[in-house]
Amino acid sequence: MSQTATLASPSPVSTEHVDVLIVGAGISGVGAAYHLTTQRPGTSFVVLEALPSFGGTWLTHTYPGIRSDSDLYTFGYRFKPWTGPPIATAAEILKYMGEVIDDNDLGRHIRYRHRIATADWSSADSLWTIDAVDESTGEARRFTANFLWMCQGYYRQRQGYTPDWPGMDRFQGTIVHPEEWPDDLDYAGKQVLVIGSGATAATLVPAMAGECEHITVLQRSPTYFWSARNSNEVADMLRQLDIPEEWTHEIVRRKILHDQQAVTQLAFDQPEFLRDELIKAVAAQLPEGYDVARHFTPRYRPWQQRLAFVPDGDLFTGIREGKATMVTDEVETFTETGVRTRSGDEIPADIVVTATGFNLSVLGDIAFHVDGAPLALADTVTYRGMMFTGVPNLVWVFGYFRASWTLRADLIGDFVCRLLAHMDERGAQRVTPCLRPDEADLPRLEWMDPENFNPGYLMRNMHLLPKRLDRPEWQHTQDYWVEKESLPAADLDDGCLVYG
C-alpha cells in the first residue's frame, strides 16, 4: 500500500448564469432591479451585495444624526411616492427602500454577504464571469452574466479619508472618522472637535451639541450652506386637498427640480449674486456681529462643491446658543490634549471627528479583466458617464453632484432596458463603446473639469477615473435638466456603440 497521502480534490465551484448581474443593493441597485422587473419581465438577474442587508450608505453610515442631504422627493424613486419630511433620516430611507423591495418581490433576487473579487470578460463567449465569496459560509461562488450593471456607488464604505497630521500618535483622546463610527462611542459631557466642513459636519454638530460639553468645528475653508424648514408647503397643501400621493409626489418633484435648475443656472450666470444671497441668508441666522466673512464665506463660487443643506437651521441654532463654535484655520499638529492650529490656538478635545471626506472606489475595487488583460479604467473614455471604451456590456451608475443621485439612477435604468431591447432586436450579444474615426485624435480630458466641480475626494482621485472628450456623447455632463431629454432620445446607432 502506498504511504503517500491522497488529498481530496476541492469541490468544483458551481456556476449560476443570469442575463444581468447587478452589483450592489443600495439606492441604485434596488432601482435597477425594479426597472428590470417592470420593463423587462423576462430578463433573469441577480443582485450581489457584500453587506448583510440592503441600503448601502444608509446601512453603513451610523454616525449621529445621519440624514439625507438631498430632498427625498427627488432622492426617492420616481415610481414610489415619498410621504415623509423632505430631509430624511437613514432609518426612514431604509424603511422606504425596504418597501420597494417587498412591494416588487425583489428580495428573491438579492444575495447578501456576497463579496466580488474578480470580473472577467470573454469576447469569445460574450460573457462576464464573476467570482465572489459568500461571506456567510466562506464558500466561493461563480456567476456568469451577459450584462454587468455596476450600482455599488463611488466611495469606499467604512474607510474614510483622514489626512496624516503631525502628532496624531500622541493624542490621548479618541480619533474617529464618521464612516467608521463605533457603536460604543460615548461623547456625553465631552469636548468634541470636528475637523472638516460640509454636509457631514452640518449633520454631526446639531446631533451631538445637546449631549457633549461643547463642540468645535475646525475648517480649513468655509462651505456654502442654505437653510429651510424641513417641510414642503406644496406637498402639505396638496395633502390637505386629498390629492393622491402619486400626484403629490410628481408635482412636488417637478417644483423642486424647477427651483433647483434656477439656482444651478444662477451659479453659472450670476455667481456673485447667488454667493451674496446665500451668505446673507446665513448671516440672518447668526448672532449680530458674528464673523460671517471668515467662517461662512467660501473661496470658490457656489456649486463648485455641493451646497450643504441645514434643515430648520439646526446648525446655526447650536452656534447661537453657544453650544458650537466655528474655527477657520488649519491643523498644525495634534497635541496630547487636542489640536494646535497654524495660528497657534489650542483647541482642547476628548474626541476628534475627522469629517474630511472619503476615498473614491472605482468599480467597487473589483479586479476587472477584459479578454485576460487587466482593465485600466483611467485609459478609457466614458460614454455618457456610464459606459467605457473597450469595455463591453457594462454600465456604471454615477449620479449627479448638483442634483439627487437617484435621478440619474432612474434615467440609466431606462437607458439600460432600452439598450438591452435594442440588442435583442439586432440579435447582438455584446455592445462596446468605441470612438468614431473623427474622434480618435481629440484631446482626452479629465473626468471632471475642476472649474465645474472640485471637491477634495474628486481632486485626490481624478487619476483613477476615465477620460472625457469635449462632446456630449463622451462625458458625464452632470446636468440632469439636459440628460432628462438627451438620454431617452440618445441614438443607439450613431456609431458610438459597436454591436457584435
Side-chain angles (χ1 to χ4, degrees):
M1 176 184 267
S2 168
Q3 300 298 308
T4 304
T6 303
L7 298 177
S9 299
S11 301
V13 177
S14 60
T15 300
E16 180 178 349
H17 178 74
V18 290
D19 295 323
V20 178
L21 189 142
I22 298 169
V23 179
I27 196 81
S28 302
V30 171
Y34 171 87
H35 288 297
L36 279 179
T37 299
T38 55
Q39 297 188 45
R40 290 184 59 81
T43 300
S44 63
F45 70 93
V46 67
V47 182
L48 299 188
E49 171 55 65
L51 298 173
S53 188
F54 62 88
T57 294
W58 309 109
L59 182 67
T60 61
H61 286 194
T62 59
Y63 58 82
I66 173 66
R67 65 192 181 196
S68 64
D69 67 343
S70 297
D71 72 277
L72 262 292
Y73 289 98
T74 61
F75 187 77
Y77 302 109
R78 69 165 187 245
F79 53 81
K80 180 174 174 59
W82 176 255
T83 59
I87 301 300
T89 66
E92 290 169 330
I93 295 170
L94 288 172
K95 179 176 180 293
Y96 173 85
M97 292 180 64
E99 291 172 357
V100 172
I101 292 171
D102 292 342
D103 292 348
N104 297 281
D105 194 23
L106 303 180
R108 62 193 177 95
H109 296 280
I110 306 175
R111 312 290 174 83
Y112 296 113
R113 296 186 184 275
H114 277 59
R115 188 170 299 278
I116 299 173
T118 62
D120 299 293
W121 169 261
S122 167
S123 294
D125 300 320
S126 292
L127 281 180
W128 284 101
T129 298
I130 297 93
D131 284 318
V133 174
D134 180 348
E135 293 185 336
S136 63
T137 64
E139 292 180 293
R141 298 296 308 275
R142 174 167 288 178
F143 299 83
T144 57
N146 301 331
F147 200 93
L148 197 51
W149 198 338
M150 303 298 294
C151 297
Q152 79 297 332
Y154 68 120
Y155 62 88
R156 200 162 291 137
Q157 302 279 8
R158 292 180 173 154
Q159 186 187 346
Y161 171 74
T162 297
D164 186 17
W165 287 296
M168 292 177 74
D169 56 340
R170 60 177 173 159
F171 178 58
Q172 298 300 303
T174 301
I175 301 174
V176 59
H177 192 283
E179 285 191 42
E180 303 162 44
W181 199 271
D183 295 335
D184 58 352
L185 182 63
D186 180 13
Y187 52 87
K190 303 288 181 65
Q191 293 273 6
V192 177
L193 171 61
V194 178
I195 302 177
S197 60
T200 302
T203 298
L204 281 165
V205 172
M208 299 177 71
E211 293 187 42
C212 62
E213 180 179 342
H214 192 78
I215 188 163
T216 300
V217 178
L218 173 58
Q219 58 180 5
R220 186 173 55 186
S221 62
T223 292
Y224 285 107
F225 293 97
W226 65 288
S227 178
R229 290 176 55 235
N230 191 18
S231 63
N232 186 284
E233 292 181 1
V234 175
D236 294 343
M237 178 194 69
L238 293 173
R239 288 179 181 130
Q240 287 178 351
L241 299 174
D242 292 326
I243 301 298
E245 285 295 344
E246 292 79 7
W247 292 20
T248 296
H249 183 71
E250 182 62 21
I251 293 168
V252 173
R253 184 179 170 96
R254 291 191 185 198
K255 175 66 166 64
I256 290 172
L257 289 169
H258 175 272
D259 295 346
Q260 287 179 352
Q261 183 180 19
V263 172
T264 300
Q265 198 60 47
L266 268 180
F268 288 96
D269 296 344
Q270 301 181 57
E272 292 300 319
F273 171 78
L274 179 58
R275 169 185 174 276
D276 291 346
E277 290 298 307
L278 289 168
I279 294 170
K280 189 188 305 180
V282 168
Q285 301 182 71
L286 293 168
E288 186 175 351
Y290 192 89
D291 195 348
V292 174
R294 179 172 179 80
H295 301 307
F296 287 100
T297 303
R299 303 169 185 168
Y300 53 91
R301 74 167 189 268
W303 268 132
Q304 274 190 297
Q305 299 180 22
R306 281 186 71 91
L307 300 184
F309 183 67
V310 181
D312 299 316
D314 54 10
L315 171 65
F316 309 120
T317 299
I319 295 173
R320 286 198 309 271
E321 295 177 349
K323 297 177 181 178
T325 299
M326 303 293 292
V327 176
T328 304
D329 206 334
E330 294 187 44
V331 175
E332 179 177 88
T333 184
F334 275 66
T335 66
E336 288 81 0
T337 58
V339 164
R340 184 167 64 246
T341 70
R342 291 264 175 98
S343 300
D345 294 329
E346 300 276 347
I347 304 176
D350 302 302
I351 299 170
V352 174
V353 182
T354 58
T356 43
F358 51 80
N359 293 302
L360 202 71
S361 171
V362 176
L363 293 179
D365 295 327
I366 297 165
F368 274 81
H369 295 81
V370 175
D371 291 327
L375 173 59
L377 195 68
D379 293 338
T380 70
V381 176
T382 184
Y383 171 75
R384 299 185 183 274
M386 65 173 114
M387 299 178 76
F388 314 102
T389 52
V391 185
N393 293 24
L394 180 143
V395 161
W396 181 18
V397 178
F398 198 112
Y400 297 116
F401 294 128
R402 297 189 182 93
S404 294
W405 184 275
T406 321
L407 292 168
R408 196 160 204 260
D410 275 341
L411 285 176
I412 291 178
D414 294 338
F415 181 89
V416 170
C417 291
R418 184 164 72 96
L419 178 60
L420 293 174
H422 191 64
M423 291 174 69
D424 289 345
E425 291 168 3
R426 293 181 60 119
Q429 293 183 305
R430 61 182 178 271
V431 57
T432 311
C434 293
L435 298 181
R436 293 167 290 198
D438 65 320
E439 297 164 334
D441 295 326
L442 292 178
R444 299 193 177 196
L445 309 171
E446 291 184 321
W447 170 263
M448 179 61 55
D449 180 357
E451 285 298 310
N452 187 341
F453 196 76
N454 59 15
Y457 66 85
L458 198 58
M459 296 300 97
R460 289 192 302 272
N461 298 282
M462 194 81 81
H463 64 286
L464 302 175
L465 291 167
K467 303 300 185 290
R468 63 183 168 89
L469 304 183
D470 189 18
R471 290 195 175 182
E473 301 91 342
W474 299 109
Q475 61 179 289
H476 187 337
T477 66
Q478 283 295 332
D479 192 332
Y480 165 74
W481 296 275
V482 168
E483 284 201 328
K484 71 185 180 72
E485 306 295 339
S486 64
L487 281 185
D491 184 353
L492 300 182
D493 290 312
D494 63 358
C496 294
L497 302 175
V498 176
Y499 301 88

